[in-house]
Amino acid sequence: MDAMISLAGKRILLTQAQDFMGPTLVPLLTKFGAAVVTDDRPLIDPDLPAQLVRDAGRVDVLIAHLGAPAPSTPAHEVGEDEWRLMFSAMVDPLPRLARAVLPQMIERRSGKILVMGSASALRGMKRASAYSAARGAQLAWAQAVGIEMAPHQVQVNAIAQNLVDNVTYFPPEVQANPRFKERIRWEMPLGRLVSAQEDSMFAAYLCSDAANCFVGQVFPVCGGWVPR
Amino acid sequence: MDAMISLAGKRILLTQAQDFMGPTLVPLLTKFGAAVVTDDRPLIDPDLPAQLVRDAGRVDVLIAHLGAPAPSTPAHEVGEDEWRLMFSAMVDPLPRLARAVLPQMIERRSGKILVMGSASALRGMKRASAYSAARGAQLAWAQAVGIEMAPHQVQVNAIAQNLVDNVTYFPPEVQANPRFKERIRWEMPLGRLVSAQEDSMFAAYLCSDAANCFVGQVFPVCGGWVPR
Amino acid sequence: MDAMISLAGKRILLTQAQDFMGPTLVPLLTKFGAAVVTDDRPLIDPDLPAQLVRDAGRVDVLIAHLGAPAPSTPAHEVGEDEWRLMFSAMVDPLPRLARAVLPQMIERRSGKILVMGSASALRGMKRASAYSAARGAQLAWAQAVGIEMAPHQVQVNAIAQNLVDNVTYFPPEVQANPRFKERIRWEMPLGRLVSAQEDSMFAAYLCSDAANCFVGQVFPVCGGWVPR
Amino acid sequence: MDAMISLAGKRILLTQAQDFMGPTLVPLLTKFGAAVVTDDRPLIDPDLPAQLVRDAGRVDVLIAHLGAPAPSTPAHEVGEDEWRLMFSAMVDPLPRLARAVLPQMIERRSGKILVMGSASALRGMKRASAYSAARGAQLAWAQAVGIEMAPHQVQVNAIAQNLVDNVTYFPPEVQANPRFKERIRWEMPLGRLVSAQEDSMFAAYLCSDAANCFVGQVFPVCGGWVPR
């Protein structure tokens, strides 16, 4: 392996490309040489994952980039709709994506899935039970599929991020809130939000061949909000 | 000499009481003084959680004991039905249980939920992606709700067990399988299955007032299969 | 196993019995039926561990209860003396205790070591580098020895505690400090210190036969300060 | 196309440069543009850390690369010499390095320490108690110092590696051993050793400015041997 890490020649499929980390990921992955195939829709429609992969053709890396706005409902008031929304947007697409994309990776004995997940599944937060539960399903899924796919030379891993600067979860009005600033001061060893660039760079690294050694692993990217 | 665990005067609601750890939990909790209210049905029906709690009256401790047989489908062949079954049996009942039981606990400023979860959400296993994902949702939910309920003097925690002797997951024919024995030898520092009694005893401890200090915590009970 | 958990007939050796959790542990373990053999000295003297075990005779459970006041030196000012003090009091006694006590346990195929450790090894804290490093050595040691001793039917585990009420680490003047109260509010999901009784009860449980299924495991007892 | 990792202009001090990962790290870091200052001695001599830093001048990144051959002594036979050797080689140099190198980093409000640690501190292994304990001290130290230094814009993190191909811990005769191969098959989801190149590449990433968002974090690099 050359010391030059790159994504040259890699076809990366990114879902929900205008939300969450999409606006930073696309140009960055492109800059490193990837051909990024994007779709902007949430993957609620059960047929969409198969269709996306069919349209994309060869997919070297799938970034399972599934987000939904985090509600702030007390745990005992979370209703069916909120629960269903969290899981249909962030969890149910996973096996559909797996069915669609893993066979070609297994056949080529090469490929990666990177789940852009959340550290809210690693450390409890108030008024985030539905969101956290869905994020927990993502991380456990990535761990399990990562172990299973490793012998096929297919690497599945997850980023568990929180307090990363992005419009979906930390829009300007949230960042300007004094209580939020106090929270950063107390909860965030880094002392600032992780930048979208930093988070996306790390994702890019995990998409590269340099990261072939990681399987079924969860990487916190949250400025020390969780230690491990 | 004092008893180390007392559940005297506690009303404990245990769901799916004939599966999984139920057959050991019921007599043990009773022996420690609890009045155990049981229901044997899987909680698939969305109205069942509310009905159970209504029928139970005061619930001091809810043991969210939700299981489903673990399929062994490859990750890329997991279909909609398997996925749905795992989540409808093990995950979707959680917010319904919360809506039903937390208000009375919050009002009394006293109560506990113990989720009987799985260590498969902490360490990846092959051909268990749907099951592990559902179990991951459970643990993350318990962490989040545990943090949120702590100020109400309500404690929510989870056991993350694996390789515990029970008829649902380790029936005699599995235990007799030579490959299973080899797996125990390599993967299980304890060198044997955790007994149903040991696991249930620990659950009983976590149901007692002695455990009021634990909130949003996940306790592996798996003989060292995961270290932490 | 009877549902009655007890320590009846168990000889428990507790070191540094007047510090840290000692004042609560001794009466509690005794109440549950244990014969508690205590020594009050820090185990700095290299010959002391062997001597304690020799004097104690049969030791069913060793509680490796090793503490030292936590300095608050910046990481770049920690000197040789502070470093040496932390390790000579809390770390270096471990192999000496192991040499002294494990052979009799291995021979009887029965025994336990419980390390009363600290969650400061699981989550970074400012101005606590020497202390945390020593505590980290303890936890890793307990994990390793726990895995190694499991086949001998000897269980080695650790409690990783923090924010537990005790005179050594949280004397009244610390607890009265407004900044400390603010820290509790922000960092401690439990909203209060863990009581000495709660922590000691859990230790008692881990000393009992009910806990024979735990090997090489680290149990946080810190009111949610670390989730796992 | 941009380079994903650049260490251009960075002066990196690497200790024990001929052992462990040194032979791969030096050329790789150099290739990425770093000026690598090396020393080949174990850091047993208490004055050596200060001297190395003095001789190095400006140090942008210190790689605390401290290793010692792992003994395979049963826990109850570990003697004073083995214990002392592990800690004097791998642990005691840490505060000396901190005293020597952190002040210049704090003054410049820029700098990094990367501890090349071991996953043996995260998952127990037999006959490795002294080694694991020392490695546990390293990780806990990195976490604590990482949290403390974050406000100074100095990042301290650790790699927790195991089963990485290197001459110090996995020489050819070990790798050829049938029992070792069986261990890989059972314990190593990746199915092979992590290559020295993969591990060093990740270290290089963590030395770069792209990794400014990580503080007090432990990164397992062990092919899934520990999940997190």
Side-chain angles (χ1 to χ4, degrees):
Chain A
M1 185 167 36
D2 193 283
M4 184 72 178
I5 304 172
S6 93
L7 300 173
K10 291 212 182 292
R11 290 176 62 79
I12 301 184
L13 174 58
L14 176 72
T15 64
Q16 263 185 270
Q18 300 209 345
D19 303 325
F20 196 22
M21 306 311 302
T24 317
L25 277 171
V26 175
L28 197 72
L29 297 169
T30 306
K31 195 171 85 168
F32 291 130
V36 186
V37 182
T38 63
D39 187 81
D40 295 342
R41 290 165 286 182
L43 296 193
I44 309 280
D45 174 354
D47 296 326
L48 199 47
Q51 183 190 320
L52 288 190
V53 172
R54 205 166 42 235
D55 292 352
R58 201 188 79 224
V59 175
D60 297 304
V61 181
L62 165 67
I63 302 186
H65 177 255
L66 304 164
S72 64
T73 316
H76 52 294
E77 296 175 10
V78 170
E80 297 294 314
D81 287 351
E82 173 178 334
W83 194 262
R84 186 83 343 261
L85 177 62
M86 293 297 112
F87 281 81
S88 61
M90 299 199 287
V91 178
D92 298 343
L94 292 172
R96 296 169 193 148
L97 287 165
R99 288 199 303 270
V101 83
L102 283 175
Q104 58 164 281
M105 292 178 175
I106 292 171
E107 192 182 342
R108 286 195 308 269
R109 292 186 67 71
S110 173
K112 285 188 167 59
I113 298 177
L114 177 63
V115 175
M116 297 300 285
S118 165
S120 65
L122 301 179
R123 174 175 167 175
M125 289 195 303
K126 291 182 185 181
R127 293 173 169 255
S129 58
Y131 182 81
S132 301
R135 291 301 196 179
Q138 290 186 332
L139 296 191
W141 184 85
Q143 287 188 317
V145 182
I147 297 306
E148 182 177 334
M149 287 299 125
H152 298 290
Q153 316 300 329
V154 173
Q155 295 85 35
V156 182
N157 295 289
I159 281 178
Q161 66 181 67
N162 193 13
L163 299 166
V164 174
D165 193 5
N166 71 80
V167 290
T168 302
Y169 295 112
F170 302 98
E173 64 273 21
V174 166
Q175 295 193 34
N177 186 321
R179 220 189 117 73
F180 182 76
K181 288 180 184 171
E182 199 183 16
R183 188 182 156 208
I184 294 290
R185 194 167 77 83
W186 276 98
E187 289 194 7
M188 187 69 169
L190 186 63
R192 59 165 173 92
L193 292 184
V194 174
S195 77
Q197 196 73 10
E198 289 167 325
D199 184 46
S200 299
M201 272 294 296
F202 193 64
Y205 185 89
L206 293 178
C207 290
S208 79
D209 290 343
N212 283 355
C213 60
F214 297 112
V215 294
Q217 192 160 333
V218 170
F219 295 88
V221 179
C222 53
W225 186 70
V226 298
R228 202 172 283 169
Chain B
M1 195 176 55
D2 285 36
M4 205 179 285
I5 298 180
S6 167
L7 301 172
K10 289 211 183 292
R11 290 176 60 80
I12 300 183
L13 173 59
L14 177 71
T15 63
Q16 263 186 269
Q18 299 208 345
D19 303 325
F20 196 21
M21 306 311 302
T24 317
L25 278 171
V26 176
L28 195 72
L29 297 169
T30 305
K31 215 161 170 177
F32 285 127
V36 186
V37 181
T38 62
D39 187 81
D40 294 343
R41 290 164 287 183
L43 296 194
I44 309 281
D45 175 353
D47 296 327
L48 199 46
Q51 183 190 320
L52 288 190
V53 172
R54 206 166 41 234
D55 293 351
R58 200 188 79 224
V59 176
D60 297 302
V61 181
L62 164 68
I63 303 186
H65 177 254
L66 305 163
S72 64
T73 316
H76 52 293
E77 295 176 9
V78 170
E80 297 295 312
D81 287 352
E82 174 179 333
W83 194 261
R84 187 82 343 259
L85 177 62
M86 294 297 112
F87 281 80
S88 61
M90 299 199 286
V91 178
D92 297 343
L94 293 171
R96 295 167 193 152
L97 288 165
R99 288 199 303 270
V101 84
L102 284 175
Q104 59 164 277
M105 293 179 175
I106 292 171
E107 193 182 341
R108 287 195 307 268
R109 292 186 67 73
S110 172
K112 286 189 167 58
I113 298 177
L114 177 63
V115 175
M116 296 299 284
S118 166
S120 65
L122 301 179
R123 174 175 167 175
M125 289 195 302
K126 291 183 185 181
R127 294 174 168 253
S129 58
Y131 182 81
S132 302
R135 291 300 198 180
Q138 289 187 332
L139 296 191
W141 184 86
Q143 287 188 318
V145 181
I147 297 306
E148 183 177 335
M149 288 298 125
H152 299 290
Q153 315 300 331
V154 173
Q155 295 85 34
V156 182
N157 295 288
I159 282 179
Q161 67 179 67
N162 193 14
L163 298 165
V164 174
D165 193 6
N166 72 79
V167 290
T168 302
Y169 295 112
F170 302 99
E173 63 272 21
V174 165
Q175 295 192 34
N177 186 321
R179 220 189 116 73
F180 183 75
K181 288 181 183 171
E182 198 182 19
R183 188 183 155 208
I184 294 291
R185 194 166 78 81
W186 276 98
E187 288 194 7
M188 187 69 169
L190 185 63
R192 59 167 173 90
L193 292 184
V194 174
S195 77
Q197 196 74 7
E198 288 167 326
D199 184 46
S200 299
M201 200 77 90
F202 193 65
Y205 186 89
L206 293 178
C207 289
S208 79
D209 290 344
N212 283 356
C213 60
F214 297 112
V215 294
Q217 191 159 331
V218 170
F219 294 89
V221 179
C222 53
W225 187 69
V226 299
R228 202 172 283 171
Chain C
M1 184 169 34
D2 193 282
M4 185 72 180
I5 304 171
S6 92
L7 301 172
K10 290 212 182 292
R11 290 176 61 79
I12 300 184
L13 174 58
L14 177 72
T15 63
Q16 264 185 268
Q18 300 209 344
D19 304 324
F20 197 20
M21 306 311 302
T24 316
L25 277 171
V26 175
L28 196 72
L29 297 169
T30 306
K31 196 171 84 168
F32 292 130
V36 186
V37 182
T38 63
D39 187 82
D40 295 342
R41 290 164 287 183
L43 296 194
I44 309 281
D45 174 353
D47 296 326
L48 199 46
Q51 184 190 319
L52 288 191
V53 172
R54 206 166 41 235
D55 292 351
R58 199 188 80 226
V59 176
D60 296 303
V61 181
L62 164 68
I63 302 185
H65 177 255
L66 305 163
S72 64
T73 317
H76 53 292
E77 294 176 11
V78 170
E80 296 294 314
D81 288 352
E82 174 179 334
W83 194 262
R84 187 81 343 262
L85 177 61
M86 293 297 112
F87 281 81
S88 62
M90 298 200 287
V91 178
D92 297 343
L94 292 172
R96 295 168 193 148
L97 288 165
R99 289 198 303 269
V101 85
L102 283 175
Q104 58 164 278
M105 292 178 175
I106 292 171
E107 193 181 342
R108 286 195 307 268
R109 292 185 67 72
S110 172
K112 284 188 168 57
I113 298 177
L114 177 63
V115 175
M116 297 300 284
S118 167
S120 65
L122 301 179
R123 174 175 167 176
M125 289 194 303
K126 292 183 185 181
R127 294 175 170 251
S129 59
Y131 182 80
S132 301
R135 291 300 196 179
Q138 289 186 332
L139 295 191
W141 183 85
Q143 287 188 317
V145 182
I147 298 305
E148 183 177 334
M149 287 299 124
H152 298 290
Q153 315 299 332
V154 173
Q155 294 86 34
V156 182
N157 295 287
I159 281 177
Q161 67 180 67
N162 193 14
L163 299 165
V164 175
D165 193 6
N166 72 79
V167 290
T168 302
Y169 294 113
F170 301 98
E173 63 273 21
V174 166
Q175 295 192 33
N177 186 321
R179 221 190 116 74
F180 182 76
K181 288 180 183 172
E182 199 182 18
R183 187 183 157 209
I184 294 290
R185 194 167 78 82
W186 276 98
E187 290 194 7
M188 187 69 169
L190 186 63
R192 58 167 174 91
L193 292 185
V194 174
S195 77
Q197 196 73 9
E198 289 167 325
D199 184 46
S200 299
M201 272 293 295
F202 193 65
Y205 185 89
L206 293 178
C207 290
S208 79
D209 290 343
N212 283 355
C213 61
F214 296 112
V215 294
Q217 193 159 333
V218 170
F219 294 89
V221 179
C222 54
W225 186 70
V226 299
R228 203 171 282 170
Chain D
M1 195 177 56
D2 286 35
M4 205 179 285
I5 299 180
S6 167
L7 301 172
K10 291 213 182 290
R11 290 176 61 79
I12 300 183
L13 174 58
L14 176 72
T15 64
Q16 265 186 267
Q18 300 209 344
D19 303 325
F20 197 21
M21 305 312 301
T24 317
L25 277 171
V26 175
L28 196 72
L29 297 169
T30 306
K31 216 160 169 178
F32 285 126
V36 186
V37 181
T38 63
D39 187 82
D40 295 342
R41 290 165 287 183
L43 297 194
I44 309 280
D45 174 354
D47 296 327
L48 199 45
Q51 183 189 318
L52 289 190
V53 172
R54 204 165 43 234
D55 293 352
R58 200 188 80 225
V59 176
D60 297 303
V61 181
L62 165 67
I63 301 185
H65 177 255
L66 304 163
S72 64
T73 315
H76 52 292
E77 294 175 10
V78 170
E80 297 294 313
D81 288 351
E82 174 179 333
W83 194 261
R84 187 80 343 262
L85 177 61
M86 292 298 111
F87 281 80
S88 62
M90 298 199 286
V91 178
D92 298 342
L94 292 172
R96 296 168 192 149
L97 287 165
R99 289 198 302 271
V101 84
L102 283 176
Q104 58 164 279
M105 293 178 175
I106 291 170
E107 193 182 341
R108 286 195 308 268
R109 292 186 66 72
S110 172
K112 284 187 168 60
I113 298 178
L114 177 64
V115 175
M116 297 299 285
S118 167
S120 65
L122 301 179
R123 174 175 167 175
M125 289 195 302
K126 292 183 185 181
R127 295 175 169 252
S129 58
Y131 181 80
S132 301
R135 291 300 197 179
Q138 289 187 333
L139 296 191
W141 184 85
Q143 287 188 318
V145 182
I147 298 305
E148 183 176 335
M149 287 299 124
H152 299 290
Q153 316 299 332
V154 173
Q155 295 86 34
V156 182
N157 295 288
I159 281 178
Q161 67 179 67
N162 193 14
L163 299 165
V164 174
D165 193 7
N166 72 79
V167 290
T168 302
Y169 295 112
F170 302 99
E173 63 272 21
V174 166
Q175 295 192 33
N177 187 321
R179 220 189 117 73
F180 183 75
K181 288 181 182 171
E182 199 181 18
R183 188 183 156 209
I184 293 290
R185 193 166 79 80
W186 277 97
E187 288 194 10
M188 187 69 169
L190 185 62
R192 59 166 173 90
L193 293 184
V194 173
S195 77
Q197 195 75 7
E198 288 167 325
D199 184 47
S200 299
M201 199 77 90
F202 193 65
Y205 186 89
L206 294 178
C207 290
S208 79
D209 290 343
N212 283 356
C213 60
F214 297 112
V215 294
Q217 192 159 332
V218 170
F219 294 89
V221 179
C222 54
W225 186 69
V226 298
R228 204 173 281 171

